[in-house]
Amino acid sequence: MSQGRKHIEKNPSAEQTPGAAPGSAPASAPAPSEELDLQPPRGTRDFYPDEMRRRNWLFGLFRETAGRFGFEEVDAPMVEHASLFTRKAGEEIVHQLYHFVLHDRHLALRPEMTPSLARMVIARQGAMRFPIRWFTVTQNWRYERMTRGRRREHYQWNMDIWGEPSVEAEAELLSAMFTVLDALGLARGKVKVRLNSRALLEESLRTGVLAKRPEVFAPLCVVIDKLDKIGAEAVTELLCDPAGAVGLSAGEAESVLAMLAARSLDEAARFAAPDSAALADLRRLYALLEAYGIADQVPFDASVVRGLAYYTGVVFEAFDAAGSLRAIAGGGRYDRLAETLGGKPVPAVGFGFGDAVIGELLEDEGLWPALARDVQDVVYAFSSAEKPAAIAVATRLRAAGRRVELALGTAKLKRVLGDADKAGVERVWLIGEDERARGVVKVRDLAKKMEHEEPLKG
Amino acid sequence: MSQGRKHIEKNPSAEQTPGAAPGSAPASAPAPSEELDLQPPRGTRDFYPDEMRRRNWLFGLFRETAGRFGFEEVDAPMVEHASLFTRKAGEEIVHQLYHFVLHDRHLALRPEMTPSLARMVIARQGAMRFPIRWFTVTQNWRYERMTRGRRREHYQWNMDIWGEPSVEAEAELLSAMFTVLDALGLARGKVKVRLNSRALLEESLRTGVLAKRPEVFAPLCVVIDKLDKIGAEAVTELLCDPAGAVGLSAGEAESVLAMLAARSLDEAARFAAPDSAALADLRRLYALLEAYGIADQVPFDASVVRGLAYYTGVVFEAFDAAGSLRAIAGGGRYDRLAETLGGKPVPAVGFGFGDAVIGELLEDEGLWPALARDVQDVVYAFSSAEKPAAIAVATRLRAAGRRVELALGTAKLKRVLGDADKAGVERVWLIGEDERARGVVKVRDLAKKMEHEEPLKG
């Protein structure tokens, strides 16, 4: 129902001139009765009570975990200026922008949360006390081709630390991620987080191709991210394409691909720059992960670079161990994003953890809990004359914090009792003519299958 | 951060052909660094931690209250087919639709929740067990002119009952609304709910103008809703405009306006049709509101009709008693909406309660609670060598359900302690070289200003 905000005092004629209102309905839009589609728009979901209980349970774990790590929740509008999201590194996410023009403004539904967070940080950068620990649980949109049941919206839990340059921040975030995976009931080993550092690669190219063209690093990573999907040959082709954004020589591409094969820090050391700071950071990170008890869940994998342009350091992605699903979560360090967007430099690291893939994994593993409708009491009046007494009982129970369904209208007792039983209701309160005359209410305990009476006046 | 869904296996070339993707970024969009606007789009809000805590507190009350009334939460996509919202009754809300065309589809951000709920009910109407009690807490959008700081988005709590024809449903909803107002700390009398029934008016016109043209009732109500804003004369003009949607005679308009002046059921009875069912319903509703203890908070007011076309029966709107703000909440019965949208008939009633006006009222009344950052423990290591021990302590506390901030990097103790004090942190856990050597951690109780030691191994 509409809350009925009254807005037109200042321009009461606004709705008499529909053509002038930039948001006015298109004259050609059909009346709903003519062709109402009962399904939500393609790629989007309705949440009926069953699905909503699962969503609330999952989001509750996200929020509870973030709270235990001392993170504060924030939010930004789902509609942003499109320019916040457009970048030139060829990322998939930019090409899938859900954008539109309203009143000559390019707007977009956010495809991810990080740029909005960056905007918020920069807007108050002078007044902020760093480090800040923020989390969000938001819906993000991508206008992508619909294949294999993929959707155009998903919800995503984000945790981000702004203002901490050390890998202690990465370690905290990874620990939070495993806290949720543990709470979901996923046994250790069911989910692995593959981790790498873009800085390793960047260091090794710093005296080479990046010396003259540092701007190719972001598109280079975007190309490398496709390795799993399109293979080494196609990646080499894209890296060496003279018309592309990267333009490596064949030798450079070959040495990059060789580096990506490393699967341990010792292997990576063979390719790393002398006195590599990135490697030292990684060694320190693994020592911290050891203290958190999760180092063995986080294999090093030099081929992980992530597909977003803004990452600069450690990057990671969580996968089911069987490898049958897409990434469950992903993130990394993006120390230069604030500068790119016009702010002062501030180091930052974060991850996103969506609701879609983890939902599939919980389904596959049979780990969704049984979440029934949570009603504790049902209050039932046998006829209209007892309704006020039933209302008084329900109101008293509710004031005491109980979750109470008041049977409405001419609901049949048998059906009400049947539904109550199915919903796991504890007690049914019954008021008929006799009870009302005697000033009592009959209380049926559904679990114990016992009845007693209580006075109507509490 | 992006969760990195991997989508392009099936069409790896999709992003090489940006022009073909309907959601691709406009080629002319500027790179963000060129003109990044640090503010969210006009009429929208960021929620920094302070604002988010208030929002979560308010929404928590909405959810808690709905739960006590046995309602189940649902949700639908914020983007719907525009046709779901377009109606022909001249409503303000339809002219303010945030609509856009993507891939030849007319889409819109929802301006209100009810049509989406109706779509969801109709889609499963055969399998539903009525009555259903649903609630939502959603963001709704209106592309309206920005005056007096009004916004283009707001959040709204909705409670709806589908499948119950009796006014017992209305009474439950109004009780839920007052349960929240009470919980917010608003003394009785600070908010009044003005209530009426559109059916009263419809009955009296049934043998007159509606006999031949029943379709004029909805636009008639939309016009009457403007009475407060534009006055009786302008309303009469709109009602009698031969080119308008209503087209009453002067006499009909006069008798309609006379009815609207009634401020009690006895006054309304003088105008009502003989044996008026609507009046009997209203008398019954007030008897129920008496049982809920809220009848004196809900004055009858025949001029209340609400501005949405779909209402058919009881309508109501909540205002601050001083009358200085817009409507806090509003709702009513919409028994024919399901049919209008192509479903089978099902009676329904609901309300919407926004976050904007209630927020202003809480501000005016000084009723927003002090909501500090909720951290219970801070763990601090004096140097890098003690970090693993600090991590072990933090992890143990978190596993026990505590809300713990782990000081990161080279944070200064003085500042960490100052911030902890301000945030109301209970204990600070300190680990230096000496503590680590002795296998202990120093625990400082900030409230009691006392210190003790505990073993590092829990």
Side-chain angles (χ1 to χ4, degrees), chain A residues 283-314:
Chain A
R283 293 205 189 277
R284 170 137 178 79
L285 174 55
Y286 273 97
L288 297 168
L289 296 181
E290 200 66 57
Y292 281 107
I294 54 175
D296 57 340
Q297 309 296 314
V298 186
F300 174 80
D301 182 336
S303 73
V304 171
V305 295
R306 306 289 298 152
L308 293 170
Y310 50 63
Y311 290 123
T312 53
V314 169

Short mmCIF file of all heavy atoms in Angstrom, two decimals, chain A residues 283-314:
data_model
loop_
_atom_site.label_atom_id
_atom_site.label_comp_id
_atom_site.label_asym_id
_atom_site.label_seq_id
_atom_site.Cartn_x
_atom_site.Cartn_y
_atom_site.Cartn_z
N ARG A 283 53.98 -14.26 2.49
CA ARG A 283 54.49 -15.13 3.55
C ARG A 283 53.92 -14.69 4.91
O ARG A 283 53.53 -15.50 5.74
CB ARG A 283 56.02 -15.12 3.58
CG ARG A 283 56.65 -15.76 2.34
CD ARG A 283 58.05 -16.30 2.64
NE ARG A 283 58.75 -16.72 1.42
CZ ARG A 283 58.58 -17.92 0.84
NH1 ARG A 283 57.75 -18.81 1.36
NH2 ARG A 283 59.26 -18.23 -0.26
N ARG A 284 53.88 -13.38 5.10
CA ARG A 284 53.33 -12.86 6.36
C ARG A 284 51.83 -13.20 6.46
O ARG A 284 51.34 -13.60 7.51
CB ARG A 284 53.54 -11.34 6.40
CG ARG A 284 52.82 -10.64 7.51
CD ARG A 284 53.67 -9.58 8.20
NE ARG A 284 52.89 -8.92 9.24
CZ ARG A 284 52.65 -9.44 10.43
NH1 ARG A 284 53.16 -10.62 10.75
NH2 ARG A 284 51.92 -8.80 11.31
N LEU A 285 51.11 -13.05 5.34
CA LEU A 285 49.68 -13.36 5.35
C LEU A 285 49.44 -14.80 5.75
O LEU A 285 48.57 -15.11 6.59
CB LEU A 285 49.08 -13.07 3.96
CG LEU A 285 47.61 -13.48 3.77
CD1 LEU A 285 46.71 -12.83 4.83
CD2 LEU A 285 47.14 -13.08 2.36
N TYR A 286 50.25 -15.73 5.19
CA TYR A 286 50.04 -17.14 5.52
C TYR A 286 50.35 -17.44 6.98
O TYR A 286 49.71 -18.29 7.60
CB TYR A 286 50.80 -18.06 4.56
CG TYR A 286 49.97 -18.34 3.32
CD1 TYR A 286 50.14 -17.61 2.15
CD2 TYR A 286 48.97 -19.32 3.35
CE1 TYR A 286 49.34 -17.85 1.03
CE2 TYR A 286 48.17 -19.57 2.24
CZ TYR A 286 48.36 -18.82 1.08
OH TYR A 286 47.57 -19.06 -0.02
N ALA A 287 51.33 -16.70 7.56
CA ALA A 287 51.61 -16.88 8.99
C ALA A 287 50.39 -16.46 9.82
O ALA A 287 50.03 -17.11 10.80
CB ALA A 287 52.84 -16.06 9.39
N LEU A 288 49.75 -15.37 9.40
CA LEU A 288 48.55 -14.91 10.12
C LEU A 288 47.39 -15.89 9.94
O LEU A 288 46.67 -16.20 10.89
CB LEU A 288 48.14 -13.52 9.62
CG LEU A 288 49.16 -12.39 9.88
CD1 LEU A 288 48.77 -11.13 9.10
CD2 LEU A 288 49.26 -12.08 11.38
N LEU A 289 47.23 -16.40 8.71
CA LEU A 289 46.15 -17.36 8.46
C LEU A 289 46.34 -18.62 9.32
O LEU A 289 45.37 -19.25 9.75
CB LEU A 289 46.09 -17.72 6.97
CG LEU A 289 45.73 -16.58 6.02
CD1 LEU A 289 45.67 -17.09 4.58
CD2 LEU A 289 44.40 -15.93 6.40
N GLU A 290 47.62 -18.95 9.56
CA GLU A 290 47.93 -20.06 10.46
C GLU A 290 47.36 -19.78 11.85
O GLU A 290 46.73 -20.65 12.47
CB GLU A 290 49.47 -20.20 10.52
CG GLU A 290 49.98 -21.55 10.99
CD GLU A 290 49.63 -22.67 10.02
OE1 GLU A 290 50.00 -22.59 8.82
OE2 GLU A 290 48.99 -23.63 10.47
N ALA A 291 47.56 -18.55 12.33
CA ALA A 291 47.04 -18.18 13.66
C ALA A 291 45.52 -18.24 13.69
O ALA A 291 44.92 -18.56 14.72
CB ALA A 291 47.54 -16.79 14.05
N TYR A 292 44.88 -17.93 12.58
CA TYR A 292 43.42 -18.00 12.51
C TYR A 292 42.94 -19.45 12.33
O TYR A 292 41.74 -19.71 12.36
CB TYR A 292 42.89 -17.18 11.33
CG TYR A 292 42.81 -15.67 11.57
CD1 TYR A 292 43.71 -14.80 10.98
CD2 TYR A 292 41.80 -15.14 12.38
CE1 TYR A 292 43.63 -13.43 11.18
CE2 TYR A 292 41.70 -13.77 12.58
CZ TYR A 292 42.62 -12.92 11.98
OH TYR A 292 42.53 -11.58 12.19
N GLY A 293 43.87 -20.35 12.04
CA GLY A 293 43.49 -21.75 11.85
C GLY A 293 42.89 -22.05 10.49
O GLY A 293 42.13 -23.00 10.33
N ILE A 294 43.22 -21.23 9.47
CA ILE A 294 42.61 -21.46 8.16
C ILE A 294 43.64 -21.54 7.04
O ILE A 294 43.26 -21.63 5.87
CB ILE A 294 41.59 -20.36 7.81
CG1 ILE A 294 42.22 -18.96 7.92
CG2 ILE A 294 40.36 -20.45 8.72
CD1 ILE A 294 41.29 -17.83 7.48
N ALA A 295 44.95 -21.54 7.36
CA ALA A 295 45.96 -21.52 6.30
C ALA A 295 45.80 -22.69 5.33
O ALA A 295 45.96 -22.54 4.11
CB ALA A 295 47.37 -21.52 6.91
N ASP A 296 45.45 -23.86 5.88
CA ASP A 296 45.33 -25.04 5.00
C ASP A 296 44.08 -25.00 4.12
O ASP A 296 43.91 -25.83 3.23
CB ASP A 296 45.34 -26.32 5.84
CG ASP A 296 44.25 -26.32 6.89
OD1 ASP A 296 43.74 -25.22 7.23
OD2 ASP A 296 43.88 -27.40 7.37
N GLN A 297 43.20 -24.03 4.35
CA GLN A 297 42.00 -23.90 3.53
C GLN A 297 42.20 -22.90 2.39
O GLN A 297 41.29 -22.66 1.60
CB GLN A 297 40.81 -23.41 4.39
CG GLN A 297 40.58 -24.22 5.65
CD GLN A 297 40.20 -25.65 5.35
OE1 GLN A 297 39.34 -25.89 4.49
NE2 GLN A 297 40.85 -26.61 5.99
N VAL A 298 43.40 -22.29 2.35
CA VAL A 298 43.63 -21.18 1.43
C VAL A 298 44.85 -21.46 0.56
O VAL A 298 45.92 -20.90 0.77
CB VAL A 298 43.82 -19.85 2.23
CG1 VAL A 298 43.91 -18.66 1.28
CG2 VAL A 298 42.69 -19.64 3.23
N PRO A 299 44.72 -22.36 -0.43
CA PRO A 299 45.88 -22.68 -1.27
C PRO A 299 46.32 -21.49 -2.11
O PRO A 299 45.49 -20.76 -2.64
CB PRO A 299 45.35 -23.82 -2.15
CG PRO A 299 43.86 -23.68 -2.14
CD PRO A 299 43.52 -23.13 -0.78
N PHE A 300 47.63 -21.34 -2.21
CA PHE A 300 48.17 -20.32 -3.11
C PHE A 300 47.98 -20.78 -4.55
O PHE A 300 48.17 -21.95 -4.87
CB PHE A 300 49.66 -20.10 -2.82
CG PHE A 300 50.31 -19.16 -3.81
CD1 PHE A 300 50.16 -17.79 -3.67
CD2 PHE A 300 51.04 -19.66 -4.88
CE1 PHE A 300 50.73 -16.92 -4.60
CE2 PHE A 300 51.61 -18.79 -5.82
CZ PHE A 300 51.45 -17.42 -5.66
N ASP A 301 47.59 -19.87 -5.43
CA ASP A 301 47.37 -20.21 -6.84
C ASP A 301 47.66 -18.96 -7.67
O ASP A 301 46.85 -18.03 -7.72
CB ASP A 301 45.92 -20.68 -7.03
CG ASP A 301 45.63 -21.11 -8.46
OD1 ASP A 301 46.34 -20.64 -9.38
OD2 ASP A 301 44.69 -21.89 -8.66
N ALA A 302 48.82 -18.98 -8.33
CA ALA A 302 49.26 -17.78 -9.05
C ALA A 302 48.38 -17.43 -10.25
O ALA A 302 48.51 -16.34 -10.81
CB ALA A 302 50.72 -17.95 -9.51
N SER A 303 47.47 -18.32 -10.62
CA SER A 303 46.62 -18.01 -11.77
C SER A 303 45.40 -17.18 -11.38
O SER A 303 44.65 -16.71 -12.22
CB SER A 303 46.17 -19.30 -12.47
OG SER A 303 45.20 -19.97 -11.70
N VAL A 304 45.18 -17.01 -10.07
CA VAL A 304 44.04 -16.21 -9.62
C VAL A 304 44.39 -14.73 -9.72
O VAL A 304 45.34 -14.27 -9.09
CB VAL A 304 43.68 -16.56 -8.16
CG1 VAL A 304 42.63 -15.59 -7.61
CG2 VAL A 304 43.19 -18.00 -8.07
N VAL A 305 43.66 -13.97 -10.54
CA VAL A 305 43.89 -12.53 -10.60
C VAL A 305 42.60 -11.73 -10.43
O VAL A 305 42.64 -10.54 -10.19
CB VAL A 305 44.58 -12.09 -11.91
CG1 VAL A 305 45.99 -12.67 -12.00
CG2 VAL A 305 43.74 -12.49 -13.11
N ARG A 306 41.44 -12.39 -10.57
CA ARG A 306 40.13 -11.74 -10.51
C ARG A 306 39.90 -10.87 -11.74
O ARG A 306 40.83 -10.35 -12.34
CB ARG A 306 39.92 -10.89 -9.24
CG ARG A 306 40.16 -11.64 -7.95
CD ARG A 306 39.08 -12.66 -7.64
NE ARG A 306 37.78 -12.03 -7.48
CZ ARG A 306 36.62 -12.66 -7.75
NH1 ARG A 306 36.62 -13.90 -8.19
NH2 ARG A 306 35.50 -12.05 -7.57
N GLY A 307 38.61 -10.68 -12.06
CA GLY A 307 38.26 -10.01 -13.32
C GLY A 307 37.98 -8.52 -13.21
O GLY A 307 37.59 -7.90 -14.19
N LEU A 308 38.14 -7.95 -12.02
CA LEU A 308 37.89 -6.51 -11.89
C LEU A 308 39.19 -5.74 -12.00
O LEU A 308 40.23 -6.17 -11.51
CB LEU A 308 37.21 -6.20 -10.55
CG LEU A 308 35.79 -6.76 -10.43
CD1 LEU A 308 35.28 -6.63 -9.00
CD2 LEU A 308 34.85 -6.05 -11.40
N ALA A 309 39.12 -4.59 -12.64
CA ALA A 309 40.34 -3.84 -12.97
C ALA A 309 41.02 -3.24 -11.76
O ALA A 309 42.22 -3.03 -11.76
CB ALA A 309 40.00 -2.73 -13.97
N TYR A 310 40.26 -2.96 -10.70
CA TYR A 310 40.83 -2.11 -9.65
C TYR A 310 41.70 -2.83 -8.62
O TYR A 310 42.30 -2.18 -7.77
CB TYR A 310 39.73 -1.31 -8.94
CG TYR A 310 38.51 -2.07 -8.46
CD1 TYR A 310 38.63 -3.06 -7.49
CD2 TYR A 310 37.25 -1.77 -8.94
CE1 TYR A 310 37.52 -3.74 -7.02
CE2 TYR A 310 36.13 -2.45 -8.48
CZ TYR A 310 36.26 -3.42 -7.52
OH TYR A 310 35.16 -4.08 -7.06
N TYR A 311 41.77 -4.15 -8.66
CA TYR A 311 42.61 -4.83 -7.66
C TYR A 311 44.09 -4.53 -7.88
O TYR A 311 44.56 -4.45 -9.01
CB TYR A 311 42.39 -6.34 -7.71
CG TYR A 311 41.04 -6.77 -7.20
CD1 TYR A 311 40.17 -7.51 -8.00
CD2 TYR A 311 40.62 -6.45 -5.92
CE1 TYR A 311 38.93 -7.91 -7.54
CE2 TYR A 311 39.39 -6.84 -5.45
CZ TYR A 311 38.54 -7.58 -6.26
OH TYR A 311 37.32 -7.96 -5.80
N THR A 312 44.80 -4.41 -6.76
CA THR A 312 46.23 -4.07 -6.85
C THR A 312 47.14 -5.06 -6.13
O THR A 312 48.32 -5.13 -6.43
CB THR A 312 46.49 -2.69 -6.20
OG1 THR A 312 45.95 -2.71 -4.87
CG2 THR A 312 45.86 -1.58 -7.01
N GLY A 313 46.61 -5.80 -5.14
CA GLY A 313 47.47 -6.65 -4.33
C GLY A 313 46.92 -8.05 -4.20
O GLY A 313 46.66 -8.72 -5.21
N VAL A 314 46.76 -8.50 -2.96
CA VAL A 314 46.23 -9.85 -2.72
C VAL A 314 44.85 -9.97 -3.34
O VAL A 314 44.03 -9.05 -3.26
CB VAL A 314 46.16 -10.11 -1.20
CG1 VAL A 314 45.38 -11.39 -0.91
CG2 VAL A 314 47.58 -10.21 -0.61
#
